Amino acid sequence: MPERLTEMLMDTWTPLIILWITVLPSIYMAPVNQSQVLPGGSSTGLKRLNEEQRVLHRSRRGWVWNQMFVLEEFSGPEPILVGRLHTDLDPGSSKIKYILSGDGAGTIFVINDKTGDIHAMKRLDREEKAEYTLTAQAVDRDTNQPLEPPSEFIIKVQDINDNAPEFVEGPYHASVPEMSLVGTFVTKVTATDADDPVYGNSAKLVYSILEGQPYFSIEPHTAIIKTALPNMDREAKEEYFVVIQAKDMGGHMGGLSGTTTVTITLSDVNDNPPKFAQSLYHFSVMEDVALGEPIGRVKANDLDIGENAKSSYDIIEGDGMDIFEITTDAQTQDGIIRVRKPLDFETKKSYTLKVEAANIHIDPRFLSGGPFKDTATVKIVVEDADEPPVFSSPTYLLEVHENAALNSVLGQVTAHDPDISASPIRFSIDRHTDLERQFNINAEDGKITLATPLDRETSTWHNITIVATETRNHSQVSRVPVAIKVLDVNDNAPEFASEHEAFLCENGKPGQVIQIVSAVDKDDPKNGHYFLYSLLPEMVNNPNFTIKKNEGCRTADRSPLSSALSQR
C-alpha cells in the first residue's frame, strides 16, 4: 500500500516538476558560480583563454545560468524557449552580443544575440539524442571582442512516455511437463522500453496475462511464467496459447503497453499404462510353418508418446510357452508372435497363451495410479498341412552275402503319410544312385531285392536312395539313404604272392632253408586266413627236399601265412 501511494504522488508531481523546469529559466536564472570548462582541452584553447583573461582583467566567471532542459516531442506554433544566457557584465544595454556554438547550434537551437534567450526550433526525440553540448560566449557587439571566456553547457532532452514496451524476442515457445505442480517454472519473457529508465516511470514495466488463465500465471515484475493449475493432462490438451502484456508507468492508467504470445506445450510424462485393443486374439497357422516366422501381431495402445509409450511383451502363461515367443516391433510397438519349435497338427491342434505388455520406462511419481501393464489371451489354431511321407528310420543298413541268389530279399523300408488322409505310399529307387541296376524294390511294400550278382571283392558297399511318394499327391516325396554291405564267402582259391626261383649250393647242409614261400587270398574270412602248404604229389617222395610251416610269420590270429622249403 505505501508503494502504491508513492507511485500515485509521483504521477501527480511529475508534470508539475517538468513545467517548472521548462518555464522558470525564461523568468529568472539565479546566479551560480561554476568552474571553467575548456571546449577542446587543447593547448591552443588554453593559450587563447589566458589572453582573453588578460584583456578582460577578470579573475572569475561572470555567467549567470542553470543547466537547461527541454521536453521531447514538444511542438507548438512558436519555437520553444529552452532557457536564457546572461552575464553580470550586461548592464542592460545593447552592447553585449551572445553567440552560441556546438551540437545543433543554428539549426536545432537558436540564441537571441541580444537577450540570450535560447529556443528549440524542432521537435526533439530523447531516444535519438538525449543531450546536446553547446558553448556560449558574450562579445562586444561593436568590436566583436570577447567579454567573457567561452563556457560549455548541456541541454538535456527531458523524457516523456512516448514509447510503448516491446517484446523483441517474441513470439515465444516453451514447454513444461504435464501433471506439474502449481508454481512450476515455464519460461521468462522480457520486454524493453526505449524511454528513460531513470526519470519517472516511463520505462517501469509491469507484466500481466491477457489470455491463458487460469492455467498459467506471470510474476508482475520478473515476467516469470508459472503453472497455475495442478494436473494439467497432455492427453486432454497439449498446447496452450498465452497472451502476455507489458505496461509502462508501473502499470497505472495512461501507461503504454505491448503484447506478445507464448505457445506453451505440455511435454509427456508416463502417466498412462498400456492397454490391449482387445482382450482375446485368434490366430491360425499351418503346421509346416518355418521356425521364426511371425504368425500374428497383438497391440497394446498407450496414450503417452515417445519413450513413455514403449512397451515390452512377454508370454506369462499357457500351454505353448516353449513353442512360441513374442517380441516387440521397435517401429510400431506391436507384439509379434513367432514359432520357436516345429508344430504338428496330428499331435496338438491348438494352443492358448496369456501375453503381457508392460511399460519399459516407469515414472515413480505415478506408481500409485496402478500397474503400468496389461494382459490379453491369445488362441492359436494349428491347421493341417499336406506333409510328405515319413520313413520309419532316418537311415537303413542292410547286409547280404555275395553269393546271394537273384531276387532274394535283402531287407525292407517302411514309410507312412502323417496326415489324417493317410495316403498310400509307393516306393522306388533313385537310379542315379544305382546306375548298374543291381537292386529292385517292391513299390507296394518297400522290400529290396537283388537284381544282379554281387561280388564283395569288386565292391564291398552299395549306397542307394529310396524314394517314397504319396499316391494322392505326387508332389509329396521323401527320400532315405540305404547302405548295403556285401558279406564275404570263400569263393576264391589262394594264390602265391609271387613267382619263386630257388638256388642251392652243392655243399648245402641238411635242414638248410632254401626258400620261403607265401600265399594270398581275395576272400576275407571272419577269423582270418590259414593256409596249408605241401609239395606236389610228384615231389612228395623226393628224398632231397621237405616243406614245413613257418612259425615266424603269422596273421593276427597267429595262423601261418608262409612255409619254408629246406634240404633234407
Side-chain angles (χ1 to χ4, degrees):
M1 191 65 184
E3 182 182 353
R4 174 64 176 168
L5 181 61
T6 302
E7 291 177 350
M8 292 177 64
L9 291 174
M10 285 292 294
D11 293 342
T12 302
W13 284 102
T14 296
L16 296 177
I17 293 172
I18 295 173
L19 180 63
W20 178 79
I21 292 173
T22 306
V23 175
L24 187 61
S26 64
I27 301 173
Y28 176 75
M29 293 276 182
V32 293
N33 292 327
Q34 296 185 354
S35 60
Q36 177 66 46
V37 180
L38 297 179
S42 64
S43 58
T44 305
L46 180 60
K47 182 178 180 181
R48 187 175 67 250
L49 178 59
N50 292 335
E51 292 174 353
E52 291 171 350
Q53 288 175 334
R54 283 198 302 273
V55 172
L56 297 173
H57 301 288
R58 295 183 61 82
S59 59
R60 66 183 184 86
R61 228 5 236 282
W63 289 105
V64 180
W65 58 342
N66 275 328
Q67 181 173 256
M68 298 183 185
F69 297 88
V70 60
L71 280 175
E72 68 168 332
E73 305 294 348
F74 189 86
S75 62
E78 300 293 334
I80 307 166
L81 177 63
V82 178
R84 176 176 296 166
L85 298 181
H86 186 71
T87 176
D88 54 7
L89 298 177
D90 187 356
S93 64
S94 59
K95 290 187 176 182
I96 302 295
K97 179 181 178 181
Y98 294 97
I99 300 173
L100 188 66
S101 62
D103 291 346
T107 55
I108 299 176
F109 301 104
V110 175
I111 189 169
N112 186 316
D113 61 357
K114 294 180 180 180
T115 63
D117 292 343
I118 300 174
H119 289 82
M121 307 303 291
K122 297 180 179 179
R123 290 178 59 179
L124 302 178
D125 187 354
R126 188 199 69 84
E127 287 70 44
E128 290 183 5
K129 191 173 178 65
E131 60 182 38
Y132 295 83
T133 302
L134 297 103
T135 301
Q137 190 170 26
V139 299
D140 186 287
R141 185 176 295 277
D142 297 330
T143 63
N144 222 26
Q145 291 297 315
L147 301 176
E148 289 286 344
S151 184
E152 188 178 86
F153 67 98
I154 294 174
I155 298 178
K156 288 191 174 183
V157 181
Q158 198 76 41
D159 183 51
I160 65 172
N161 189 21
D162 61 340
N163 291 279
E166 292 183 356
F167 291 90
V168 179
E169 298 177 0
Y172 295 84
H173 295 270
S175 65
V176 64
E178 63 173 330
M179 299 295 174
S180 293
L181 298 175
V182 173
T184 300
F185 175 85
V186 178
T187 189
K188 184 179 186 301
V189 298
T190 303
T192 59
D193 194 314
D195 292 323
D196 191 346
V198 178
Y199 176 79
N201 292 326
S202 298
K204 185 178 181 180
L205 305 181
V206 173
Y207 298 87
S208 60
I209 288 185
L210 299 183
E211 185 178 334
Q213 295 173 322
Y215 307 103
F216 301 95
S217 63
I218 189 169
E219 253 291 323
H221 301 291
T222 63
I224 293 176
I225 300 174
K226 301 178 180 180
T227 57
L229 278 183
N231 302 323
M232 285 191 288
D233 191 1
R234 184 198 68 83
E235 288 73 35
K237 184 176 181 180
E238 183 175 6
E239 193 172 87
Y240 294 82
F241 188 76
V242 180
V243 178
I244 303 296
Q245 174 184 268
K247 190 174 183 180
D248 61 17
M249 298 300 292
H252 296 157
M253 184 179 297
L256 304 177
S257 63
T259 61
T260 189
T261 60
V262 183
T263 302
I264 301 175
T265 303
L266 297 184
S267 59
D268 188 57
V269 299
N270 191 10
D271 59 338
N272 293 282
K275 185 70 177 175
F276 279 103
Q278 55 196 78
S279 60
L280 179 63
Y281 292 85
H282 291 275
F283 300 109
S284 61
V285 57
M286 299 298 292
E287 63 175 328
D288 60 351
V289 64
L291 297 184
E293 281 294 308
I295 65 169
R297 289 174 175 252
V298 297
K299 176 72 172 181
N301 297 311
D302 195 316
L303 296 177
D304 297 319
I305 57 175
E307 293 292 317
N308 296 321
K310 289 186 176 180
S311 296
S312 62
Y313 294 87
D314 289 297
I315 300 174
I316 58 174
E317 291 180 15
D319 54 0
M321 294 182 64
D322 61 333
I323 304 297
F324 302 95
E325 65 180 1
I326 187 168
T327 58
T328 304
D329 187 322
Q331 299 297 323
T332 64
Q333 288 298 300
D334 291 348
I336 307 174
I337 301 175
R338 304 176 188 272
V339 179
R340 292 179 58 189
K341 293 183 178 180
L343 302 175
D344 186 8
F345 172 80
E346 289 71 31
T347 303
K348 189 170 179 60
K349 297 177 175 59
S350 66
Y351 296 88
T352 300
L353 307 174
K354 187 175 184 180
V355 297
E356 178 185 82
N359 276 155
I360 298 175
H361 306 285
I362 304 297
D363 193 329
R365 295 177 298 169
F366 305 104
L367 285 176
S368 60
F372 282 76
K373 55 187 176 181
D374 193 23
T375 59
T377 301
V378 177
K379 290 187 177 293
I380 301 172
V381 175
V382 181
E383 295 185 354
D384 189 26
D386 193 359
E387 299 176 88
V390 177
F391 282 96
S392 59
S393 175
T395 61
Y396 290 88
L397 174 61
L398 304 180
E399 293 182 343
V400 58
H401 286 90
E402 61 179 326
N403 62 348
L406 297 182
N407 297 320
S408 59
V409 177
L410 310 184
Q412 184 179 18
V413 297
T414 58
H416 71 283
D417 181 4
D419 300 319
I420 293 179
S421 59
S423 172
I425 306 299
R426 290 186 64 84
F427 300 96
S428 61
I429 297 175
D430 184 349
R431 291 303 178 183
H432 291 92
T433 63
D434 183 27
L435 296 176
E436 296 180 0
R437 294 181 173 268
Q438 289 185 286
F439 307 96
N440 288 326
I441 188 169
N442 188 302
E444 303 295 333
D445 58 16
K447 290 181 179 179
I448 300 172
T449 57
L450 184 62
T452 61
L454 299 174
D455 183 10
R456 189 202 66 83
E457 288 72 36
T458 303
S459 180
T460 304
W461 287 93
H462 296 271
N463 295 295
I464 63 174
T465 299
I466 303 300
V467 180
T469 306
E470 290 185 12
T471 58
R472 295 174 185 169
N473 185 354
H474 292 174
S475 64
Q476 296 299 330
V477 176
S478 294
R479 298 169 179 269
V480 70
V482 177
I484 301 173
K485 182 179 182 181
V486 181
L487 302 178
D488 184 52
V489 295
N490 192 10
D491 59 345
N492 291 279
E495 298 177 358
F496 285 103
S498 62
E499 294 290 335
H500 296 92
E501 185 177 1
F503 297 91
L504 176 64
C505 295
E506 60 180 347
N507 59 350
K509 298 178 180 180
Q512 179 182 346
V513 176
I514 301 172
Q515 181 71 47
I516 296 176
V517 296
S518 60
V520 295
D521 194 323
K522 294 180 180 179
D523 294 321
D524 186 18
K526 186 178 296 185
N527 295 324
H529 290 289
Y530 188 88
F531 300 131
L532 296 176
Y533 296 87
S534 63
L535 295 174
L536 292 174
E538 59 269 24
M539 294 292 294
V540 172
N541 297 322
N542 189 327
N544 296 318
F545 300 98
T546 61
I547 188 170
K548 60 181 180 179
K549 297 177 183 178
N550 182 11
E551 298 296 336
C553 184
R554 293 177 176 268
T555 61
D557 60 351
R558 310 215 30 101
S559 299
L561 291 175
S562 63
S563 292
L565 180 64
S566 61
Q567 183 179 3
R568 287 185 177 181

